[in-house]
Amino acid sequence: MYGPRIALWCAAAVSFTLIWLIFQSDEPNHAMAYFLFAVGIVCPGLGEAYAVRRRQRDWYRRRFASFDELRMSVNASALRQIREEKGLWDAIHELKREYPLLPVGEAAKLIKGL
């Protein structure tokens, strides 16, 4: 679980170190520095997004043995009514209010299937 996250944070640290080394040279390559700066900003965000998705996926697998078990645990008629009256996203939001760690893809799949 921590491997990709640590690798992305290390990539960010290496990119900022390389930026520092680039600007220590006599003729710094600004294009390379800009690219490394972008890498240094994006990589930690990707690492944290990976951690959140992994936590949601692990919670879902521990909580529900199958998609049908999730379907049986919700109030289908209430969610169907919200979907028909207010729309798909409001129904997904209501389901996420009940199960905050439920992945959005699984919530959308359930609401569309009702």
Side-chain angles (χ1 to χ4, degrees):
M1 177 172 170
Y2 294 111
R5 189 176 176 190
I6 290 172
L8 288 167
W9 275 96
C10 288
V14 166
S15 70
F16 285 119
T17 303
L18 289 173
I19 290 171
W20 181 76
L21 289 174
I22 285 172
F23 284 112
Q24 296 301 313
S25 68
D26 293 336
E27 293 182 22
N29 184 350
H30 292 286
M32 180 61 75
Y34 291 140
F35 172 74
L36 290 171
F37 182 75
V39 168
I41 295 298
V42 170
C43 282
L46 290 174
E48 295 308 307
Y50 170 80
V52 168
R53 289 186 53 131
R54 178 73 185 250
R55 186 175 65 233
Q56 288 177 339
R57 189 174 56 240
D58 290 346
W59 174 85
Y60 177 72
R61 288 180 181 161
R62 281 192 314 268
R63 176 93 163 114
F64 302 106
S66 67
F67 185 75
D68 292 329
E69 188 175 332
L70 170 64
R71 182 176 294 178
M72 290 185 301
S73 72
V74 299
N75 186 352
S77 61
L79 289 173
R80 193 177 306 114
Q81 182 180 2
I82 293 171
R83 183 190 67 192
E84 291 170 1
E85 291 175 1
K86 297 180 182 177
L88 178 68
W89 288 109
D90 287 327
I92 291 172
H93 183 70
E94 183 64 33
L95 181 59
K96 291 281 289 175
R97 197 174 297 152
E98 186 176 346
Y99 298 114
L101 290 178
L102 184 66
V104 175
E106 294 297 321
K109 181 179 167 185
L110 176 66
I111 297 298
K112 287 177 183 178
L114 293 177

